[in-house]
Amino acid sequence: MNIFDVSFFAENFVALCRGIPLTLQLTLLSVTSGAVFAIVLASFRLSGNQVLDGLARGYIFVFRGTPLLVQLYIIYYGLSQFPELRKSFAWPFLREAYWCASLALCLNTAAYSAEIIRGGVIAVPLGQIEAAKAYGMGGLTLLRRIIAPQAFRLMLPAYSNELILVVKSTALASTITMMEVTGIAAKLISATYRPVEIFIAAGAIYLLLNFSITRLLRLLEYRLSRDRRPHQAATGEHA
Amino acid sequence: MTIQTCIPAVEIARLEKSYGSLKVLHDISLKAEQGEVISILGASGSGKSTLLRCVNMLEVPNAGSVSIFGEEYKLEQRVDQAARVTDRHQLQRLRSQATMVFQSFNLWSHLTILENLIEAPVHVQHRNRKVCIAEAEALLERVGIADKRNAYPSHLSGGQQQRAAIARALAMHPRIMLFDEPTSALDPELVAEVLKVMKDLAAEGRTMLVVTHEMSFARNVSSRVVFLHKGYIEEDGTPAEVFSHPRSERFRQFISKHAH
Amino acid sequence: MKLTLILSAAVLAVSLQPANAADKLRIATEGAYAPWNFSGPNGTLEGFEIDLANDLCKRMNKECEIVAQNWDGIIPSLTAGKYDAIMAGMSITPKREEVIAFSKPYAAAINSFAVLGDGDLANLPMAGKPLSVDSEAAKPVLEQIVKLIEGKAVGVQGSTTASSFVEQYLKGADAREYKTTEEHNLDLVAGRLDAVVANATVLSAALEKEDMAGVKLSGPLFSGKVFGMIGIGLRKEDTALKADFDKAIEAARTDGTIKTLSEKWFRLDVSPQD
C-alpha cells in the first residue's frame, strides 16, 4: 500500500463531489435566513432602545460564546427530548436533520453577521448622514439610499470571512447524519480505513468552494469600490 | 433700511439652545428678509454654527421658534428633556427649502458627482429624473466642474468638492441657502474659487446665511453682518455700519485679528 | 494499518521491558464495554470476559492477571509485550489479523433490531430467536424483513459490523450513520428513526435505562460472517499460547460454561455455533 495512492484519491474525490449539493444547500439556506435575522438583530442593537439592545446583546453573547457543535446538539438531540415539542407544529421540521442543521447554522451566523452589519453601519461617515438629513431624507430613504450601500461595502470584507466560516461549519452537519462532503468522507473512511487520501480530497473540495466564493466576493467588492480607485479605472472595466 | 412688505425668509424668535447645563445660545432673535445675504461672524465657540444648524433643525432649539417663509417648525420643547421635531413631513419640506452647505462638504462618497446632485431632487422631491439630470449638468457647468460629472467625490480637490456641494444644494431649488464655514476646510489657494461661486449666487438675489471667517466676503458681498459672542448677538447691521463703527469692543478686536 | 504497524514499532522501541518475569499470564481488557468488561462499583474489573478469562486460566493451569488498557492502544501494547493477550470484545477481522493472531472464537457477535414498542416494526419475524445470516434458513426471513423495512429510517453506528449488515442485507432501508449507539438510541426514542441495528448485548443493556422505556428488541438475533466472531488477541509468535487458549475455549464451549456465563451477563446465548 502506498502512502498516497493517486487513483484512489481521484476515485474518492468524485464520490465526495456528490456531497457538494447538500453542502451548498446548507450554506445557502443558513446564510440567507441568517442574514435576514442578522439585520433584525443589528437594528435592535442600533435602535437606541435599551430593551431591544439588551435582547440582541444577550442573544449575540450566547451564540458567539458557545460552540456551534453544542448548539447543533441542543437543537437536534436536546429539543427532541420534549414530548410536547414532538407533538407541536414545529416537529415536522425539527424531526429532519436537514432543518436542524440549517437552523443551527442560521442562528449561529446571524449572531456574527449582526455585529458585522452594525460595524458597517457605524462606519458610515456621520457627515454624510447629516447631509442626507439636511436635504430632507429620513427614515427608509436615508437607510436605503445612503446608509445601506455604504455599510454594505464597508462590511463586505468581514462578511466574506463569515461566509467562508459557514461553508466550513456545514461539516458539523455530518455529526447529525447529514451526508454532505464530510459525512460521505467519514463513511468512505470507515469502509476503507484509508483516511489520508479521503480527508485530503474532502479538504480540496472545501478549498475549491471557498476559493470560488472568495473570488465572487472580491469581484463584487471591486465593482462597489469604483470611488476608491483612480478616476481612469472608474470608467473602464478592469475585471 | 428694509421694508416689511413681504414675509421674512427666515425668522428666529427668542431662540435658546443648551447642551445639558451649558447654554450656547441666549435669547436670539433674527430676521432674514428675502434676498438678504447675512454673514454670521464670531470666534469659535460663539455659537454661530449652532445658530445656523437651528435654522434647518440639525440642532433643535430648547426654546423659541424658527420659521421659514412664515411657516414655523412644529417642535416639542420641554425643560427637562431634549427638544424634538414633531412633524417629520413638515421638517422634510422645510429642509428642502433651506439647504445647507457644510464645512467638510459631506458629499456622498458612493455616488458620482452627477448622482450626488440628482439624489435628493429625485428621491426626496420626486422630480423627473431626466429633467434633474439636465439641470444638474447645467449647474456643474456653472460651478466649473462639468468634466467631473462621472467622477467620485474622492477624485476631486477640496475646492472642486465644495463647488459640487454648492451645486448639490442648488439642485434642490432652495429659496434659502445656509453655508456653514464653507471655506474653512480648504487650502488657501482653493478658497477663491468657492467664494467666486458664492458671490455669483449673492448677486442673483438669493437669501443666504453664511457662517464664515472670510472678512472680504462679509465686507464686500453680504448685505448684513451679525456678530455673535458667547451665545449673544453683539453686532447687527450693514457691513458699512458695523465695520466702520463697531459698537462692541470685542467685535473691534475680532476685526483687527482677522484683518491680518 | 500502516499506522498501526509504525505505532507498534515505536511503542516496542521505547518499552522493551520483559512482559513478566514469572510464569504469570497478563490479559488486557478495556474495562468500559458493559456487560462484556467494565469497572464495578468498587473499581474491580467485572463482566462476561473477566469471568471467562478466569475460567480459561484455570483450565490452562496458569496464574492470570487482568489489566485495563485504553482501546486505542490495546493492539500496539500487546505487540510491545506489555501483556500477553487481549479479551475485550474484539472482533476477528482480516485487518487486525495482519498484525496480531487470534485464538478460535469464544463468542459470536449477535446483532439485533431495537424498535419502538408501538411502531410499525414492533413485530418482526423470529423475535428473540438466533439466526445466522449465512444459513439457508435466513433467506425467507430476511426477504420478509427487507419488505417490511423498505424506506424506513434505520440508525447504525458508523464503521461497525451493524452498518455493514444494513448496507449489504437491507438495501431498501434509509440507513443513517451515527457516531455512537447512544445517539441513535436518542433518535429512536425521539421518533426520527423507525429502528436501529446494533450489538444485541449492548442494546439489551441500554434498554434497562429509564429513558428507553417503550423501546424493545425485535426480530431475530443475527449472527454470521458479516458480524464476525470475538476472539482472544495474541502475538503472532506465541503459537504455544494460542494452542493452549484454543484448547481451553473448546472445552469451555462444549461443557456449556460459555453459554452459562453468557446467559448470566447478557440474558442470551452468544456462544459460537459451528
Side-chain angles (χ1 to χ4, degrees), chain C residues 106-161:
Chain C
Y106 58 84
I110 310 277
N111 277 240
S112 178
F113 287 104
V115 298
L116 286 175
D118 55 2
D120 298 344
L121 302 175
N123 298 305
L124 293 174
M126 276 189 82
K129 305 246 169 56
L131 181 72
S132 167
V133 293
D134 307 320
S135 66
E136 274 302 311
K139 279 186 185 151
V141 181
L142 280 168
E143 255 172 48
Q144 214 179 329
I145 291 175
V146 164
K147 245 182 236 154
L148 289 168
I149 216 152
E150 170 98 44
K152 302 280 190 204
V154 178
V156 289
Q157 185 179 8
S159 31
T160 59
T161 52

Side-chain angles (χ1 to χ4, degrees), chain A residues 128 130 135 145 227 229, chain B residues 53 100 108 119 154-155:
Chain A
Q128 295 186 30
E130 191 161 72
Y135 282 72
R145 299 292 312 170
D227 56 306
R229 299 198 295 273
Chain B
R53 289 161 65 83
M100 173 84 85
W108 297 305
E119 180 66 20
S154 58
H155 300 141

